[in-house]
Coordinates of all heavy atoms in Angstrom, one line a residue:
E1 N -73.9 59.9 25.9 CA -72.5 59.9 26.3 C -71.6 59.2 25.2 O -70.4 59.1 25.4 CB -72.3 59.2 27.6 CG -73.0 60.0 28.8 CD -72.8 59.3 30.1 OE1 -72.1 58.2 30.1 OE2 -73.3 59.8 31.1
L2 N -72.2 58.6 24.2 CA -71.5 57.8 23.2 C -71.4 58.6 21.9 O -72.2 59.4 21.5 CB -72.3 56.5 22.9 CG -72.5 55.6 24.2 CD1 -73.3 54.4 23.8 CD2 -71.2 55.2 24.8
A3 N -70.4 58.2 21.1 CA -70.2 58.8 19.8 C -71.2 58.1 18.8 O -71.7 57.0 19.1 CB -68.8 58.5 19.3
P4 N -71.5 58.8 17.7 CA -72.6 58.3 16.8 C -72.3 56.8 16.4 O -73.2 56.0 16.3 CB -72.5 59.3 15.6 CG -72.1 60.6 16.3 CD -71.1 60.2 17.3
H5 N -71.0 56.5 16.0 CA -70.8 55.1 15.5 C -71.0 54.1 16.7 O -71.3 52.9 16.4 CB -69.4 55.0 14.9 CG -68.2 55.1 15.9 ND1 -67.8 56.3 16.5 CD2 -67.5 54.1 16.5 CE1 -66.8 56.1 17.3 NE2 -66.6 54.8 17.3
K6 N -70.7 54.5 17.9 CA -71.0 53.6 19.0 C -72.5 53.4 19.2 O -72.9 52.3 19.6 CB -70.4 54.2 20.3 CG -68.9 54.2 20.3 CD -68.2 52.9 20.3 CE -66.7 52.9 20.5 NZ -66.1 51.6 20.5
I7 N -73.3 54.4 19.0 CA -74.7 54.3 19.1 C -75.3 53.4 18.0 O -76.2 52.5 18.3 CB -75.4 55.7 19.0 CG1 -75.0 56.6 20.2 CG2 -76.9 55.6 18.9 CD1 -75.4 58.0 20.1
V8 N -74.7 53.4 16.8 CA -75.1 52.5 15.8 C -74.8 51.0 16.2 O -75.6 50.1 16.1 CB -74.4 52.8 14.5 CG1 -74.6 51.7 13.4 CG2 -74.9 54.1 13.9
A9 N -73.6 50.9 16.8 CA -73.2 49.5 17.3 C -74.1 49.0 18.4 O -74.2 47.8 18.6 CB -71.8 49.6 17.8
C10 N -74.8 49.9 19.1 CA -75.7 49.5 20.2 C -77.1 49.1 19.6 O -77.9 48.6 20.3 CB -76.0 50.7 21.1 SG -74.6 51.1 22.2
G11 N -77.3 49.3 18.3 CA -78.5 48.8 17.6 C -79.5 49.9 17.2 O -80.7 49.7 17.2
V12 N -79.0 51.1 16.9 CA -79.8 52.2 16.5 C -79.5 52.6 15.1 O -78.3 52.8 14.7 CB -79.6 53.4 17.4 CG1 -80.5 54.6 16.9 CG2 -79.9 53.1 18.9
A13 N -80.5 52.6 14.2 CA -80.3 53.0 12.8 C -81.4 54.0 12.4 O -82.5 54.0 13.0 CB -80.3 51.8 11.9
R14 N -81.1 54.7 11.4 CA -82.1 55.7 11.0 C -82.1 56.0 9.4 O -81.2 55.6 8.8 CB -81.8 57.1 11.6 CG -80.6 57.8 11.1 CD -80.3 59.1 11.7 NE -81.4 60.1 11.3 CZ -81.4 61.4 11.7 NH1 -80.4 61.8 12.4 NH2 -82.4 62.2 11.3
T15 N -83.2 56.5 9.0 CA -83.2 57.1 7.7 C -83.4 58.6 7.8 O -83.6 59.1 8.9 CB -84.4 56.6 6.8 OG1 -85.7 57.0 7.4 CG2 -84.4 55.1 6.7
F16 N -83.3 59.4 6.7 CA -83.3 60.8 6.8 C -84.4 61.4 6.1 O -85.0 60.9 5.1 CB -81.9 61.3 6.2 CG -80.7 61.0 7.1 CD1 -80.1 59.8 6.9 CD2 -80.3 61.8 8.1 CE1 -79.0 59.4 7.6 CE2 -79.2 61.5 8.9 CZ -78.5 60.3 8.6
Q17 N -84.8 62.6 6.5 CA -85.9 63.4 5.9 C -85.5 63.7 4.4 O -86.3 63.5 3.5 CB -86.1 64.7 6.6 CG -87.3 65.5 6.2 CD -87.5 66.7 7.1 OE1 -87.0 66.8 8.1 NE2 -88.3 67.6 6.6
N18 N -84.3 64.1 4.2 CA -83.7 64.2 2.8 C -82.9 63.0 2.6 O -81.9 62.8 3.3 CB -82.9 65.5 2.7 CG -83.8 66.7 3.0 OD1 -84.9 66.9 2.5 ND2 -83.3 67.6 3.9
I19 N -83.2 62.3 1.5 CA -82.5 61.0 1.3 C -81.0 61.2 1.1 O -80.6 62.1 0.4 CB -83.1 60.3 0.0 CG1 -84.6 60.1 0.1 CG2 -82.4 59.0 -0.3 CD1 -85.2 59.6 -1.1
R20 N -80.3 60.3 1.8 CA -78.8 60.4 1.8 C -78.2 59.1 1.4 O -77.8 58.3 2.2 CB -78.3 60.9 3.2 CG -78.8 62.2 3.6 CD -78.2 62.7 5.0 NE -78.8 63.9 5.4 CZ -78.4 64.5 6.5 NH1 -77.5 64.0 7.3 NH2 -79.0 65.7 6.9
L21 N -78.2 58.9 0.1 CA -77.5 57.7 -0.5 C -76.2 58.1 -1.1 O -75.9 59.3 -1.3 CB -78.4 57.2 -1.6 CG -79.8 56.7 -1.1 CD1 -80.6 56.3 -2.4 CD2 -79.7 55.5 -0.2
F22 N -75.4 57.1 -1.3 CA -74.1 57.3 -2.0 C -74.5 57.1 -3.5 O -74.5 56.0 -4.1 CB -73.1 56.2 -1.6 CG -72.7 56.3 -0.2 CD1 -73.2 55.4 0.7 CD2 -71.8 57.3 0.2 CE1 -72.9 55.5 2.1 CE2 -71.5 57.4 1.6 CZ -72.0 56.5 2.5
N23 N -74.9 58.3 -4.1 CA -75.5 58.3 -5.4 C -74.6 57.7 -6.5 O -75.1 57.2 -7.5 CB -76.0 59.7 -5.8 CG -77.3 60.0 -5.0 OD1 -78.2 59.2 -4.9 ND2 -77.3 61.3 -4.6
N24 N -73.3 57.8 -6.4 CA -72.4 57.4 -7.5 C -72.1 55.9 -7.3 O -71.4 55.4 -8.2 CB -71.1 58.2 -7.4 CG -71.3 59.7 -7.9 OD1 -72.2 59.9 -8.8 ND2 -70.6 60.6 -7.3
L25 N -72.5 55.3 -6.3 CA -72.3 53.8 -6.1 C -73.6 53.1 -6.5 O -74.6 53.7 -6.7 CB -72.0 53.5 -4.6 CG -70.7 54.2 -4.0 CD1 -70.6 53.7 -2.6 CD2 -69.5 53.8 -4.9
T26 N -73.4 51.8 -6.7 CA -74.5 51.0 -7.1 C -75.5 50.8 -5.9 O -75.1 51.0 -4.8 CB -74.1 49.6 -7.6 OG1 -73.5 48.9 -6.5 CG2 -73.1 49.7 -8.7
V27 N -76.7 50.3 -6.2 CA -77.7 50.0 -5.2 C -77.1 49.0 -4.2 O -77.2 49.1 -3.0 CB -79.0 49.5 -5.8 CG1 -79.9 48.9 -4.8 CG2 -79.6 50.6 -6.6
L28 N -76.4 47.9 -4.8 CA -75.8 46.9 -4.0 C -74.7 47.4 -3.1 O -74.7 47.1 -1.9 CB -75.3 45.8 -4.9 CG -74.5 44.6 -4.3 CD1 -75.5 43.9 -3.3 CD2 -74.0 43.7 -5.3
D29 N -73.9 48.3 -3.6 CA -72.8 48.8 -2.8 C -73.3 49.7 -1.7 O -72.6 49.7 -0.6 CB -71.8 49.6 -3.7 CG -70.9 48.7 -4.6 OD1 -70.8 47.5 -4.2 OD2 -70.4 49.1 -5.6
N30 N -74.4 50.4 -1.9 CA -74.9 51.2 -0.8 C -75.3 50.3 0.4 O -75.1 50.7 1.5 CB -76.2 51.9 -1.3 CG -75.9 53.3 -1.8 OD1 -76.0 54.3 -1.0 ND2 -75.6 53.4 -3.0
V31 N -75.8 49.1 0.2 CA -76.1 48.2 1.3 C -74.8 47.5 1.8 O -74.7 47.3 3.0 CB -77.1 47.1 0.8 CG1 -77.4 46.2 2.0 CG2 -78.4 47.8 0.4
K32 N -73.9 47.2 0.9 CA -72.7 46.5 1.4 C -71.9 47.4 2.3 O -71.2 46.9 3.2 CB -71.8 46.1 0.2 CG -72.3 44.9 -0.6 CD -71.6 44.8 -1.9 CE -70.2 44.4 -1.8 NZ -69.5 44.1 -3.1
I33 N -71.9 48.7 2.1 CA -71.2 49.7 3.0 C -71.7 49.5 4.4 O -70.9 49.6 5.4 CB -71.4 51.1 2.5 CG1 -70.5 51.3 1.3 CG2 -71.1 52.1 3.6 CD1 -70.7 52.7 0.6
A34 N -73.0 49.3 4.6 CA -73.6 49.1 5.9 C -73.1 47.8 6.6 O -73.3 47.7 7.8 CB -75.1 49.2 5.9
L35 N -72.6 46.9 5.8 CA -72.2 45.6 6.3 C -70.7 45.6 6.5 O -70.1 44.5 6.5 CB -72.6 44.5 5.3 CG -74.1 44.3 5.1 CD1 -74.4 43.4 3.9 CD2 -74.7 43.7 6.4

């Protein structure tokens, strides 16, 4: 019954079968986005 961003806020995170990174950003910025 919740939107995806609300589900994340409930404590659910995932990785993907096909890697989905922000390839044009740095490794550090990829993690900072999650914060």
